[in-house]
Amino acid sequence: MSHIHLPDGILPTWLWLSGYLITAALITGLWRFGQATAEPRKFALLGIFTAITVLVMMIEIPPLGYHFNLSIVTGIILGPRLSVLAALMANMILALIGHGGITVIGLNTLVLSVEMIFGYYVFRYLSALKVKASKSVFAATIIGLGMGTAFGFGIIVLGASGIDRLLQSASSGEDFGAGIEGPHLNLTRLAVIMFGLGGVGWVLEGLLSSAVLVYLDRVYPGLIGRD
Amino acid sequence: MDLHYIDYVSVARKSWLHNLPAGTKMLGFVGIVALLLASTSIYIEVGVAVGILGMAIFARVPMKIFLGLALYPVFFLFVLYLSIEGETLSTALFLGFRVLAVTESAILLLLSTSFPSIFKVLGRVLPDFLVAALFFSYRSIFVLSDSMSDVQTAMHLRGGFSKKRPLWTIRHFGTAIGHFLVHSIDSSQRMADGLRLRGFKNRVYY
């Protein structure tokens, strides 16, 4: 669960609008102060890695409904600034093909950015400690995806009362009987699903990411900046 | 999911919907999404879902790909359903039809409007560098999807996936993706050289 898989129309309007506003502020800041993509080489790399993220996200592991992201690999190669742009691009394209939602593009960009940025810094930190590349990437992936999922869960917690109101308005007119509450979101159950199913995916993603990065480190030594 | 086919349908098909200007369709899409999000009546959600399906049929959009894409988010709705306590049939149907209707409208827009026309309209409200980045990402998807299917074929020819050896499979898959990334980085270098030669300044002219 590297991004919020909630479709459109579930989260309250103020929440997804805030997601758009924060993303817009972040992108504007990166552009104004960082000149993140002024260089054609970086622009091309951004396009290519966004495309890779989109293509890989479309490969599903059937029983779990989990898909690989390669978001941490992308974050490590692109760095934090370009990662935010890549997250926005990937989410916009995915939303247009029905994966994710149009209204949650902003929030999903934030979730994916958190994941990529955490992954990047954990990898850099472990590399500085001379930890082996495969272990650094595995740890960076687990921590990055964990942080992304926690951030996504936090967003749903913020919108939980709005979701409850929506559920209750959808079932208005029904009599639940004395003392019985109407439909509402059970956050504990959601946490078990997100972190439980997600945990299996993080390990798979971690193994895949370390295999990919070890290969890249061997054939393209300068790419991930390990000395 | 075959993005080549989606692109082909949006560009090559001819219908009344394909002929409408991209800006008009995008405004209509925003209007429909706003209506669905504001509504609390299941009749409106069902009505819009059926209406969009009817439009797709009249626009001769291939039903297999339209329904396949539109029903995809319904799978993720199950995760939410599992987390709802005291859920009733009416709640499930309301959410299901709301999600279906919004996704159907997005998919119909995509299958009747080419990506570059969507980006061109977005260029009126978004900064140039963002639209250019979107355009490059879109172009890169098609540049890379062919080489990705080549890598998949090569993997199958060299042993593919083995359920009995999951770690070996992941390492094998990782090496294939790594090889694919190396190829992709080379492509990006060629793309960057081309951009530099043409004096690229963070803007795509349509």
Side-chain angles (χ1 to χ4, degrees):
Chain A
M1 281 261 181
S2 78
H3 46 226
I4 306 169
H5 277 111
L6 286 183
D8 293 301
I10 309 289
L11 288 174
T13 310
W14 69 266
L15 190 58
W16 59 259
L17 273 180
S18 312
Y20 270 117
L21 288 175
I22 297 170
T23 303
L26 202 60
I27 297 283
T28 311
L30 281 174
W31 180 248
R32 295 256 160 140
F33 303 112
Q35 288 289 302
T37 58
E39 227 267 301
R41 171 91 189 92
K42 286 188 173 177
F43 229 108
L45 209 56
L46 171 72
I48 289 284
F49 272 89
T50 304
I52 290 169
T53 312
V54 171
L55 287 171
V56 173
M57 276 193 192
M58 290 191 312
I59 304 172
E60 295 253 347
I61 303 171
L64 292 173
Y66 183 85
H67 56 71
F68 287 116
N69 300 306
L70 287 191
S71 53
I72 306 298
V73 173
T74 306
I76 289 170
I77 293 171
L78 290 182
R81 279 182 187 164
L82 284 183
S83 291
V84 178
L85 270 178
L88 175 64
M89 301 297 113
N91 279 309
M92 282 176 91
I93 293 174
L94 284 169
L96 277 173
I97 49 176
H99 189 128
I102 300 278
T103 54
V104 287
I105 289 174
L107 292 171
N108 274 335
T109 302
L110 297 176
V111 172
L112 203 55
S113 302
V114 163
E115 184 175 301
M116 288 161 127
I117 292 169
F118 264 96
Y120 172 83
Y121 282 111
V122 171
F123 176 75
R124 287 277 158 248
Y125 177 70
L126 294 175
S127 296
L129 294 178
K130 305 284 179 204
V131 176
K132 261 178 81 178
S134 57
K135 287 179 183 164
S136 307
V137 180
F138 185 78
T141 307
I142 300 282
I143 295 171
L145 293 178
M147 292 308 292
T149 307
F151 190 73
F153 182 71
I155 289 172
I156 297 176
V157 170
L158 280 177
S161 57
I163 297 174
D164 286 349
R165 267 198 302 278
L166 174 75
L167 293 172
Q168 274 146 27
S169 74
S171 63
S172 59
E174 288 184 41
D175 184 16
F176 298 103
I180 301 175
E181 273 185 84
H184 62 277
L185 191 63
N186 183 328
L187 288 171
T188 316
R189 214 185 277 177
L190 183 67
V192 170
I193 295 171
M194 282 178 79
F195 289 92
L197 271 184
V200 179
W202 304 344
V203 175
L204 289 176
E205 180 93 25
L207 291 170
L208 181 72
S209 299
S210 53
V212 171
L213 257 281
V214 165
Y215 179 83
L216 282 181
D217 198 26
R218 216 167 43 222
V219 290
Y220 242 120
L223 187 70
I224 55 173
R226 274 175 70 92
D227 299 321
Chain B
M1 190 182 305
D2 189 353
L3 280 173
H4 281 282
Y5 187 56
I6 293 175
D7 198 55
Y8 170 76
V9 170
S10 68
V11 175
R13 289 275 161 125
K14 296 282 170 250
S15 76
W16 62 274
L17 193 61
H18 286 79
N19 292 338
L20 279 179
T24 311
K25 282 185 270 190
M26 287 170 79
L27 267 180
F29 168 69
V30 172
I32 289 171
V33 173
L35 169 75
L36 289 166
L37 297 189
S39 146
T40 50
S41 157
I42 189 169
Y43 299 110
I44 292 180
E45 316 284 334
V46 174
V48 173
V50 172
I52 301 280
L53 181 66
M55 281 171 77
I57 292 169
F58 281 112
R60 290 184 292 132
V61 164
M63 277 301 116
K64 193 178 166 193
I65 196 150
F66 176 77
L67 292 176
L69 288 170
L71 290 171
Y72 182 67
V74 177
F75 169 80
F76 291 109
L77 205 56
F78 277 113
V79 177
L80 185 74
Y81 284 162
L82 291 174
S83 321
I84 296 174
E85 226 170 83
E87 191 179 14
T88 60
L89 183 65
S90 61
T91 325
L93 287 175
F94 174 79
L95 290 184
F97 275 106
R98 174 182 268 204
V99 168
L100 182 68
V102 176
T103 317
E104 272 187 356
S105 3
I107 302 303
L108 187 59
L109 173 70
L110 175 74
L111 289 174
S112 61
T113 321
S114 67
F115 266 109
S117 342
I118 293 176
F119 297 158
K120 190 177 172 184
V121 176
L122 287 177
R124 292 179 200 155
V125 284
L126 294 178
D128 289 340
F129 77 94
L130 217 53
V131 180
L134 260 176
F135 186 79
F136 285 121
S137 306
Y138 160 77
R139 186 180 175 276
S140 305
I141 288 173
F142 295 98
V143 171
L144 297 185
S145 64
D146 284 340
S147 67
M148 190 156 179
S149 61
D150 289 346
V151 169
Q152 279 176 325
T153 310
M155 270 194 73
H156 283 295
L157 289 174
R158 285 164 196 166
F161 300 98
S162 164
K163 284 178 189 166
K164 289 177 187 165
R165 293 187 294 166
L167 279 179
W168 176 86
T169 301
I170 286 190
R171 202 175 305 131
H172 190 56
F173 189 43
T175 306
I177 299 263
H179 171 76
F180 170 63
L181 287 184
V182 170
H183 172 81
S184 309
I185 292 162
D186 288 343
S187 302
S188 84
Q189 183 61 57
R190 282 196 297 277
M191 195 195 286
D193 293 342
L195 290 173
R196 204 171 282 124
L197 278 172
R198 289 168 193 158
F200 175 71
K201 288 268 186 283
N202 295 329
R203 182 162 189 192
V204 173
Y205 294 90
Y206 295 95

